[in-house]
Amino acid sequence: MFLSKMNMSWVLVLWLLSLGVVSYGLSANTSSRPRPAVVNIGAIFTLDSTIGRVAKIAIEEAVKDVNSNSSILRGTELVIDIRSSNCSGFLGMVQALRFMETDVVAVIGPQSSVVAHTILHVANELQTPFLSFAATDPTLSSLQFPYFVRTTQSDLHQMTAVSEIVDHYGWKEVIVIYLDDDYGRNGLSALDDALAAKRCRVSYKTAISPGDSSRSDIMDILVKVALMESRIIVLHAYPAVGFTVFSVAHYLGMMDDGYVWIATDWLSSVLDSAPPFQAETMMETMQGVLVLRQHTPDSDKKRAFSARWNKLTRGSIGLSTYGLYAYDTVWLLAHAIDSFFDEGGVISFSNDYRLHTLDESDLHLEAMSIFNGGPLLLKNIWDSDLVGLTGPIKFSADKSLTFPAYEIINVIGTGLHRIGYWSNYSGLSVVAPEMLYSRPPNRSSANQQLYSVVWPGESIRTPRGWVFPNNGKLLRIGVPRRVSYREFVSQVPETNTSKGFCIDVFTAAVSLLSYAVPYQFIPYGNGRENPSYNELVNLITTGFFDGVVGDIAIVTNRTRVVDFTQPYAASGLVVVAPVRKLNTGAWAFLRPFSRELWGVSAAFFLFIGIVVWVLEHRSNDEFRGPPKKQLITIIWFSLSTLFFAHRETTVSTLGRLVLIIWLFVVLIINSSYTASLTSILTVQQLYSPIKGIESLKDGDDPIGYQVGSFAEHYLTEGIGIPKSRLKALGSPEEYAMALLQGPKKGGVAAVVDERPYIELFLSSQCKFRIIGQEFTKSGWGFAFPRDSPLAIDLSTAILTLSENGDLQRIHDKWLTKSSCNSDNTELESDRLHLSSFWGLYLLCGIACFIALLIFFVQIVKKFRKVASARQVLDGGPVSSSRSKHLQTLLSIMNEKEDQSKRERKRRKLQRSLSENNKREEIDLERDSKKRHTQSFNSSN
């Protein structure tokens, strides 16, 4: 039994050791597995296209460079099989399926976005990476097509660059001419989104068939474009169609001043790869066009390859950026395959069992195989980090190349002039993007710069970007049909024309524009009452009106749906109410002060008299005597200070301090009273019980407003006045009648309306006045659809009218009338109230309190001294009642202050002064005798 256990143990140990040896051998075999002699890759693109001709040479040269470089693939030769798709989705699918029958580990291509949409489904199923250097369709995402690797820039970035160019020059609408395929439609969608982010839009888009489009078809398209408002045209097409568009546009005069053409990078790829003499011929019909080109940083490697390219092609074909991306794609794939082998990857294929179920078909689909190493190879492609001819080759988290950038080119004469760059990092700049990557990103508007451009028609002035359509359509301008205040806007009877202040301002502004504005006025309203201006403005949003001209107030709810011009008239809500004259009368002298101020002033006069009496009673004989005399003295002294005629003198320091402060207060009160009374007696006073919008809000009287005005919305929604208190009034006559009737007779207490109407109303109605200040600030402007360029240009014209004085002359023509003679009348100014003087009274009261406090402290000290002296004389504490203490205190306050001490001090001071004077006289006499003696001795 023991031996059997020993045998079993040895068997287990030997088995474990054998497993370790096998696993070590497998590991060693994985890391040192010999690489295959050949790796097959495919390439699908259109060989006879502009990009294809360049790409073929670039790819072949890249394969040669890879195979001749011993540091990569190390003994494995890269073999490429190039096939043409002829820009056909069907042929591209066939070629892709043929590749799947061979040992191809990856495919470079396809070139066309249309072909990519077709064949990438095959790549997903058979796990074969497709690396495209030219398919720029932004919808070719790695989510839908995980085995698609874009080794160039997406049109998502190119269209963002276009939108930032449009925004940089202040344009708002563009026209897009595009190909009606995946490449064109998806590029248009990306541009539409990018423009929307800049608050711009595609105003018109027209598609061109990707097949054979005749010159007449393109001419029909461009004729429609010429009738549109926008003059900013973006061309996103293939080279053959694009050059035909430029040729027809040149023939139709659409390459003249005022137009802007922006071509995507299809044009730069053609011009870069074409021979110089051919490129010059092409550029004759596209002068002033802006072109985008994918930006590749300058480097020694790029310059060396360019020199090598020129020797290789002998100038027959130029090197475009797509050729550079094709060259780098081969190197990217070579590095990924090298990493694939380093990680133990094995090139093996397996059949798809789902294809065997179709073996009855003659298509021989069972011959296609799945690349087992596809996921690992794809991972190594995404993890690549190298530097090629196009700069750093590295993929971001969204599986696109990092740091996308474009050059912005201006076609001038026979050359291409770079006016700046666009990068996703820093936006528009005149500095190469790679110079800015080390700095913090700065997308501020001041930092977005481009060099000057020569536009179509050899103009250096930035085009406005739009004109009025040349299709004979007149702008429909809505005009309110007013029944009141017709001086502002009214319809000429039996005609379709309008007149008034607002109409004259509009026509004067239009006349200052540098282009013609065809328009017609369309009256709006039933002619019986003023129309609702909110409804009139909302008709712009429905397209019924192209604009509204009239006395349209610029308020918040309207600015949300339309754009307004610069205000041409100041406006704001005011309160107008009846006023009456105030007679001066026999008691006019009481009106300067309010009742509270009169009462407090009288009380303070009496209070000051009492305070001064208290402070002067012990030391001043003028404030002593019988009680009746003292009471008369107090009253007389307090009232006489009003006229500075008090004959009693103050001898105490505290009394003098209180009196000085009080006389200052009296001086201020006298001056204020005199000024107010003078105003009352010399200026005619008007009075109204309404003090402004706050008094209206706090009351419950009815308030009038003009029909159609925004005043109703403001009063109800803005300040919360119930709608039941509001009364609609339609004319100045109704204003006057309702105000005269008043709220008790079915009228209104006041009318709230805009200042221009009220000023015109008051020019003939002298019984009413504006009460208070404007409580809203707004203006009148002309309304147009959102982002309308006409609103901007008319705003500039209105400012010009204001600066040259024409706006004021138009105002005087319509709105200056004989007004009421109210120059010498004004609304009653507020009386002087206690609030204007409480500081003075407070100061005087504090001074009195301090003086009395000091006085009573002195009295209390004297009282304690007297009380203690009495205790000493009586030989001990003496119990006394409170009444005796109070009598003692009052007697001390009433007794006359002992003047003997003061007299002794005064006499002592006089004696000291006289002794000092005598001493000085003796010293002077002694000095005089001494000088006399010295002079006598010197003479002898």
Side-chain angles (χ1 to χ4, degrees):
M1 179 64 71
F2 177 76
L3 291 175
S4 63
K5 289 183 178 180
M6 288 286 294
N7 291 333
M8 291 294 293
S9 299
W10 280 106
V11 170
L12 180 61
V13 170
L14 291 175
W15 180 71
L16 292 173
L17 289 174
S18 65
L19 285 178
V21 171
V22 171
S23 63
Y24 173 78
L26 289 175
S27 176
N29 186 39
T30 300
S31 60
S32 62
R33 179 183 290 118
R35 301 189 178 194
V38 174
V39 174
N40 296 313
I41 61 174
I44 301 177
F45 51 88
T46 305
L47 296 178
D48 60 349
S49 66
T50 301
I51 296 177
R53 286 190 291 269
V54 176
K56 183 177 184 298
I57 300 174
I59 291 174
E60 290 174 347
E61 292 301 308
V63 172
K64 291 179 184 179
D65 293 343
V66 169
N67 291 331
S68 63
N69 193 322
S70 60
S71 64
I72 189 170
L73 292 181
R74 296 189 295 277
T76 299
E77 181 182 3
L78 197 65
V79 177
I80 188 164
D81 182 7
I82 300 177
R83 300 181 183 182
S84 178
S85 64
N86 291 325
C87 209
S88 168
F90 175 73
L91 293 180
M93 173 67 78
V94 172
Q95 298 293 3
L97 294 176
R98 291 179 61 188
F99 277 133
M100 299 303 105
E101 296 176 0
T102 62
D103 295 338
V104 169
V105 299
V107 177
I108 298 177
Q111 169 190 333
S112 169
S113 299
V114 177
V115 177
H117 276 282
T118 305
I119 67 176
L120 288 181
H121 295 285
V122 177
N124 291 348
E125 295 296 329
L126 302 181
Q127 300 181 4
T128 304
F130 277 66
L131 293 81
S132 177
F133 58 88
T136 58
D137 183 353
T139 64
L140 292 171
S141 66
S142 59
L143 295 177
Q144 183 182 7
F145 305 111
Y147 283 87
F148 172 72
V149 180
R150 195 198 312 273
T151 60
T152 186
Q153 302 297 344
S154 168
D155 278 343
L156 182 66
H157 302 300
Q158 180 171 208
M159 296 309 175
T160 302
V162 172
S163 69
E164 294 201 16
I165 293 172
V166 171
D167 181 66
H168 175 73
Y169 289 109
W171 302 318
K172 293 299 181 183
E173 296 182 351
V174 302
I175 295 174
V176 180
I177 302 175
Y178 66 99
L179 284 177
D180 193 16
D181 61 5
D182 293 330
Y183 163 76
R185 287 191 298 269
N186 295 328
L188 168 65
S189 177
L191 177 60
D192 206 1
D193 293 340
L195 288 172
K198 297 293 183 180
R199 294 196 65 184
C200 305
R201 70 185 185 95
V202 177
S203 61
Y204 181 74
K205 52 191 174 184
T206 180
I208 299 178
S209 172
D212 295 332
S213 296
S214 64
R215 186 179 178 89
S216 61
D217 294 336
I218 294 178
M219 185 171 292
D220 293 339
I221 291 174
L222 291 184
V223 167
K224 294 179 181 178
V225 169
L227 297 177
M228 297 296 109
E229 180 180 286
S230 176
R231 285 294 183 262
I232 313 301
I233 304 173
V234 178
L235 181 57
H236 187 53
Y238 295 144
V241 176
F243 284 116
T244 305
V245 170
F246 280 127
S247 176
V248 175
H250 186 270
Y251 173 78
L252 294 176
M254 297 176 66
M255 303 298 296
D256 295 337
D257 186 17
Y259 281 91
V260 175
W261 287 85
I262 302 176
T264 52
D265 61 355
W266 65 267
L267 180 56
S268 61
S269 66
V270 176
L271 296 178
D272 289 340
S273 59
F277 66 91
Q278 187 178 355
E280 293 177 4
T281 304
M282 295 176 181
M283 288 186 285
E284 290 180 357
T285 60
M286 57 184 73
Q287 293 296 302
V289 173
L290 294 183
V291 188
L292 274 74
R293 175 200 287 157
Q294 297 185 44
H295 173 66
T296 56
D298 193 17
S299 63
D300 294 338
K301 185 184 296 186
K302 178 182 173 181
R303 286 192 294 269
F305 186 78
S306 297
R308 174 181 166 191
W309 181 276
N310 292 332
K311 293 180 181 179
L312 183 66
T313 61
R314 297 179 180 178
S316 61
I317 186 172
L319 177 61
S320 66
T321 54
Y322 284 106
L324 298 175
Y325 279 111
Y327 181 90
D328 283 350
T329 301
V330 176
W331 275 93
L332 170 65
L333 184 55
H335 279 278
I337 294 174
D338 190 47
S339 300
F340 171 80
F341 288 144
D342 288 342
E343 296 180 11
V346 178
I347 297 178
S348 63
F349 298 88
S350 60
N351 293 326
D352 190 347
Y353 72 93
R354 293 172 297 177
L355 298 177
H356 288 278
T357 59
L358 304 175
D359 56 0
E360 296 179 358
S361 172
D362 294 334
L363 297 177
H364 303 289
L365 298 178
E366 71 280 0
M368 292 187 296
S369 57
I370 297 174
F371 177 33
N372 297 325
L376 180 59
L377 178 59
L378 181 65
K379 173 183 175 297
N380 285 291
I381 292 174
W382 291 130
D383 294 340
S384 298
D385 188 0
L386 63 148
V387 178
L389 300 181
T390 59
I393 304 175
K394 187 178 181 180
F395 294 94
S396 60
D398 62 350
K399 307 299 178 60
S400 61
L401 290 177
T402 57
F403 298 122
Y406 285 85
E407 299 176 8
I408 304 171
I409 310 298
N410 186 204
V411 179
I412 305 174
T414 59
L416 301 177
H417 296 264
R418 184 172 56 233
I419 64 169
Y421 303 87
W422 175 90
S423 70
N424 196 38
Y425 183 79
S426 57
L428 301 175
S429 69
V430 295
V431 181
E434 57 271 16
M435 304 293 293
L436 303 175
Y437 293 150
S438 59
R439 308 176 190 174
N442 187 350
R443 300 298 291 265
S444 63
S445 57
N447 201 53
Q448 304 298 297
Q449 299 177 355
L450 293 175
Y451 289 123
S452 59
V453 179
V454 177
W455 304 100
E458 299 182 357
S459 172
I460 60 174
R461 180 176 56 87
T462 302
R464 186 174 63 250
W466 69 279
V467 295
F468 282 100
N470 296 324
N471 54 11
K473 178 184 176 183
L474 299 177
L475 291 180
R476 293 173 55 87
I477 304 297
V479 177
R481 183 180 292 173
R482 295 193 59 89
V483 297
S484 63
Y485 298 112
R486 296 170 60 86
E487 293 86 351
F488 294 103
V489 58
S490 63
Q491 185 178 9
V492 179
E494 300 180 357
T495 65
N496 291 327
T497 61
S498 298
K499 64 178 182 179
F501 168 70
C502 304
I503 302 300
D504 280 6
V505 172
F506 176 75
T507 55
V510 169
S511 66
L512 293 178
L513 300 180
S514 59
Y515 49 89
V517 180
Y519 63 88
Q520 60 177 338
F521 290 131
I522 308 297
Y524 176 78
N526 54 23
R528 296 185 298 273
E529 62 180 7
N530 295 331
S532 171
Y533 281 24
N534 286 335
E535 296 178 2
L536 177 59
V537 170
N538 287 333
L539 288 177
I540 297 178
T541 62
T542 65
F544 185 80
F545 287 135
D546 299 312
V548 170
V549 171
D551 45 340
I552 312 297
I554 304 174
V555 294
T556 303
N557 62 323
R558 296 172 186 171
T559 56
R560 293 193 180 104
V561 295
V562 298
D563 280 350
F564 282 91
T565 63
Q566 171 79 16
Y568 61 88
S571 182
L573 293 178
V574 294
V575 176
V576 62
V579 294
R580 60 184 177 85
K581 296 180 181 179
L582 288 177
N583 297 323
T584 54
W587 301 99
F589 67 90
L590 295 176
R591 284 175 47 202
F593 287 172
S594 64
R595 294 180 179 179
E596 295 82 3
L597 185 55
W598 277 119
V600 172
S601 298
F604 250 87
F605 272 100
L606 184 60
F607 173 67
I608 293 298
I610 295 174
V611 170
V612 173
W613 176 83
V614 170
L615 298 175
E616 294 289 325
H617 178 68
R618 299 184 68 247
S619 59
N620 195 338
D621 292 335
E622 294 182 353
F623 289 89
R624 299 183 64 83
K628 181 178 180 181
K629 178 184 176 184
Q630 295 183 41
L631 179 61
I632 295 174
T633 300
I634 291 173
I635 297 175
W636 165 255
F637 179 83
S638 61
L639 294 178
S640 61
T641 56
L642 179 63
F643 310 101
F644 305 98
H646 52 283
R647 57 182 178 82
E648 294 81 8
T649 59
T650 55
V651 296
S652 67
T653 303
L654 295 177
R656 289 174 178 176
L657 175 64
V658 171
L659 183 61
I660 289 174
I661 296 177
W662 172 244
L663 291 178
F664 175 74
V665 175
V666 170
L667 176 65
I668 300 300
I669 293 176
N670 279 340
S671 302
S672 303
Y673 177 83
T674 303
S676 180
L677 183 61
T678 302
S679 175
I680 291 173
L681 297 178
T682 58
V683 179
Q684 184 179 359
Q685 300 292 308
L686 300 177
Y687 170 78
S688 172
I690 305 298
K691 301 302 180 184
I693 188 63
E694 291 300 326
S695 63
L696 280 179
K697 178 182 177 182
D698 296 337
D700 55 2
D701 293 330
I703 304 171
Y705 70 93
Q706 184 181 175
V707 175
S709 172
F710 77 97
E712 177 187 12
H713 180 269
Y714 179 83
L715 292 174
T716 56
E717 303 296 332
I719 60 178
I721 294 179
K723 197 170 183 179
S724 59
R725 290 182 56 194
L726 302 183
K727 184 174 182 179
L729 304 174
S731 65
E733 292 75 17
E734 292 185 24
Y735 281 19
M737 184 179 298
L739 289 171
L740 291 175
Q741 288 177 345
K744 296 181 179 180
K745 297 182 179 180
V748 296
V751 171
V752 175
D753 204 353
E754 297 177 63
R755 179 175 284 275
Y757 302 122
I758 295 302
E759 289 178 348
L760 191 60
F761 169 71
L762 295 180
S763 65
S764 58
Q765 298 289 339
C766 302
K767 298 179 181 180
F768 314 105
R769 288 292 184 273
I770 294 176
I771 309 297
Q773 303 295 324
E774 283 184 357
F775 51 92
T776 65
K777 293 292 184 181
S778 63
W780 289 353
F782 305 132
F784 293 94
R786 296 300 297 268
D787 300 323
S788 171
L790 190 58
I792 300 174
D793 291 347
L794 280 178
S795 295
T796 304
I798 290 172
L799 289 175
T800 303
L801 290 175
S802 178
E803 292 169 359
N804 62 23
D806 287 345
L807 191 60
Q808 184 61 42
R809 283 187 282 271
I810 297 174
H811 177 276
D812 296 342
K813 170 186 173 182
W814 288 97
L815 305 180
T816 301
K817 293 187 175 182
S818 58
S819 59
C820 299
N821 186 16
S822 58
D823 294 339
N824 296 325
T825 62
E826 61 180 26
L827 287 179
E828 177 195 14
S829 57
D830 291 337
R831 290 180 171 183
L832 297 175
H833 293 275
L834 179 61
S835 59
S836 302
F837 300 96
W838 72 268
L840 289 172
Y841 285 122
L842 177 64
L843 179 63
C844 186
I846 292 174
C848 293
F849 174 78
I850 295 175
L852 289 174
L853 181 63
I854 295 173
F855 174 78
F856 281 114
V857 168
Q858 294 174 350
I859 294 298
V860 169
K861 290 175 63 177
K862 185 160 183 140
F863 169 75
R864 288 181 178 177
K865 186 182 296 185
V866 171
S868 62
R870 286 184 178 178
Q871 281 184 343
V872 173
L873 292 175
D874 294 340
V878 180
S879 59
S880 59
S881 61
R882 291 183 180 179
S883 60
K884 289 185 177 181
H885 284 300
L886 182 59
Q887 290 176 1
T888 302
L889 180 63
L890 292 177
S891 64
I892 293 174
M893 293 178 61
N894 188 48
E895 70 180 0
K896 183 174 177 60
E897 185 178 359
D898 186 9
Q899 300 294 332
S900 60
K901 293 183 179 180
R902 184 180 298 175
E903 287 295 328
R904 286 196 298 270
K905 290 181 180 179
R906 184 177 61 81
R907 292 171 183 173
K908 184 177 180 180
L909 179 61
Q910 289 178 352
R911 283 198 304 268
S912 63
L913 289 176
S914 63
E915 290 176 358
N916 290 333
N917 292 335
K918 288 180 180 180
R919 190 178 296 110
E920 289 178 357
E921 290 177 358
I922 293 172
D923 292 339
L924 290 173
E925 184 177 358
R926 184 183 302 127
D927 291 340
S928 176
K929 288 181 180 181
K930 186 177 181 181
R931 285 195 300 271
H932 180 72
T933 304
Q934 290 177 352
S935 62
F936 177 78
N937 292 333
S938 62
S939 64
N940 292 332

